[in-house]
Amino acid sequence: MKMNEKNGLSKKTYAFLLRFQKSELTEQLIYSRLAKKCKDKHNKEILQQVSNEEGHHASIWKQYTGKEQKPDMAKVRRVIFLARLLGLTFVLKMMENGEGKADNYYTKVIDEIPEAKQIIADENSHENALLKMLDEEKLHYVGSMVLGLSDAIVEISGTLAGLTFALANTRLIALSGLITGIAATLSMASSEFLSAKTSGGREAKKSAFYTGLTYLITVTLLILPYLLFSPAHYIGALVTMLVIVVLVIFCFSFYIAVAKDLPFRSRFLEMAGISLGVAAISFVIGLLVKQFLGISI
């Protein structure tokens, strides 16, 4: 194996160290910027501490590489944007999962770089600190969000599937679905409010808000194909709606699995199976109703 003349490292190890150095500088900047945007004082302090650790690790790698490296600004901007969009908890846990993979690379250079062992210990240490300190408002209302999402998917997908052949017109289906969806959103939000208040919840309004908002967003996504397809192409709208159902369930299940450390596969398959099963039953009911009642629109 060829050696780097300047520092006596193998070329493979030297390449790893350059990569590590850039990665640590990137994460140092990410944690620093997240700390500046964090309102919670305790969380801010821990984020800044982690940023300092990442900077220390980068300085260790620099001692071996002898080169200046710059952060990956595209990744920095991407992570900050995702933190705003999806929340601090989700983004941090995704980053820590990535650091778990980085540990495997660090072990490859321990023979030549003794400090790598301590860096692995530091990474694991601050990962545990991060996971323990996370206290994000959104995750306090995951139950309300799951309620809004699951009810909207089951009820509205079933309603739209049942209406598809009963009405055979995308505009009529969209109109009926929209009226049903808005009424159901108000009903779900008010029910969640009363339920949270009865059980002694202090934040009944926020529970109702998260339930209603999730329900309304889901309703909008499911009705959208019926607004985009021409009146006669109701089958295409139905198929598109079912694809959206699966995608929404997949994205939400993945988000909750990462943020709450829950199993992804079982939750996704369970919710998708129930939703698609109800849609199939409703679709058949719509066909039977139209045939036996002899209604033609």
Side-chain angles (χ1 to χ4, degrees):
M1 185 180 291
K2 293 183 178 181
M3 307 296 286
N4 186 293
E5 294 180 0
K6 187 175 181 180
N7 48 36
L9 298 173
S10 67
K11 285 193 172 182
K12 186 176 181 180
T13 296
Y14 186 70
F16 272 135
L17 297 190
L18 286 173
R19 197 163 131 198
F20 296 162
Q21 186 181 346
K22 188 178 186 69
S23 176
E24 299 286 7
L25 287 171
T26 301
E27 292 183 359
Q28 178 192 19
L29 185 56
I30 289 172
Y31 284 116
S32 176
R33 290 193 176 182
L34 288 174
K36 290 178 181 178
K37 295 178 182 296
C38 188
K39 295 179 181 179
D40 184 277
K41 184 178 179 181
H42 176 66
N43 292 356
K44 181 190 288 286
E45 289 175 355
I46 292 184
L47 287 170
Q48 189 56 56
Q49 179 185 342
V50 175
S51 175
N52 295 339
E53 285 183 7
E54 301 289 12
H56 175 62
H57 297 164
S59 66
I60 293 175
W61 301 134
K62 184 182 176 182
Q63 291 175 11
Y64 286 93
T65 64
K67 281 192 174 183
E68 291 286 345
Q69 289 280 68
K70 292 183 179 180
D72 182 347
M73 294 307 299
K75 182 178 179 180
V76 172
R77 287 190 288 268
R78 184 169 64 251
V79 172
I80 299 300
F81 171 75
L82 288 175
R84 290 176 179 172
L85 181 67
L86 301 173
L88 182 64
T89 303
F90 179 83
V91 170
L92 288 181
K93 291 201 174 183
M94 286 292 290
M95 285 182 64
E96 292 306 319
N97 289 338
E99 287 190 358
K101 294 179 182 178
D103 288 352
N104 296 329
Y105 289 105
Y106 290 158
T107 56
K108 295 179 181 180
V109 301
I110 285 179
D111 290 340
E112 294 183 68
I113 313 292
E115 287 94 332
K117 191 172 183 178
Q118 182 57 48
I119 290 178
I120 293 175
D122 288 345
E123 297 286 3
N124 292 332
S125 174
H126 82 236
E127 176 179 349
N128 292 331
L130 274 172
L131 298 182
K132 288 178 181 177
M133 72 90 172
L134 296 175
D135 185 23
E136 193 171 14
E137 182 185 80
K138 289 180 183 178
L139 296 185
H140 289 223
Y141 300 97
V142 163
S144 299
M145 294 166 69
V146 170
L147 177 65
L149 179 81
S150 58
D151 274 32
I153 285 179
V154 172
E155 292 174 12
I156 303 303
S157 64
T159 299
L160 293 174
L163 291 172
T164 295
F165 262 103
L167 299 180
N169 182 301
T170 58
R171 297 297 177 266
L172 292 176
I173 297 166
L175 177 62
S176 301
L178 190 59
I179 293 171
T180 302
I182 293 174
T185 298
L186 296 174
S187 175
M188 281 296 302
S190 58
S191 296
E192 177 65 10
F193 174 79
L194 293 173
S195 175
K197 194 137 190 175
T198 302
S199 61
R202 295 181 180 179
E203 301 292 345
K205 289 183 180 179
K206 287 187 177 180
S207 295
F209 170 76
Y210 280 106
T211 300
L213 180 63
T214 308
Y215 198 105
L216 185 61
I217 291 173
T218 307
V219 167
T220 303
L221 290 173
L222 298 189
I223 291 176
L224 190 60
Y226 291 92
L227 296 173
L228 297 178
F229 280 74
S230 62
H233 291 88
Y234 50 89
I235 296 298
L238 173 64
V239 172
T240 305
M241 184 271 289
L242 294 176
V243 171
I244 291 174
V245 166
V246 174
L247 289 176
V248 169
I249 293 173
F250 179 88
C251 293
F252 191 77
S253 298
F254 179 72
Y255 178 85
I256 296 300
V258 172
K260 299 284 285 184
D261 292 322
L262 296 173
F264 165 74
R265 182 183 174 85
S266 59
R267 292 181 66 85
F268 169 70
L269 292 177
E270 180 182 46
M271 189 177 268
I274 292 173
S275 301
L276 296 178
V278 169
I281 294 171
S282 301
F283 182 78
V284 172
I285 291 173
L287 284 173
L288 295 175
V289 169
K290 184 174 182 179
Q291 181 177 349
F292 287 108
L293 293 182
I295 297 174
S296 180
I297 298 177

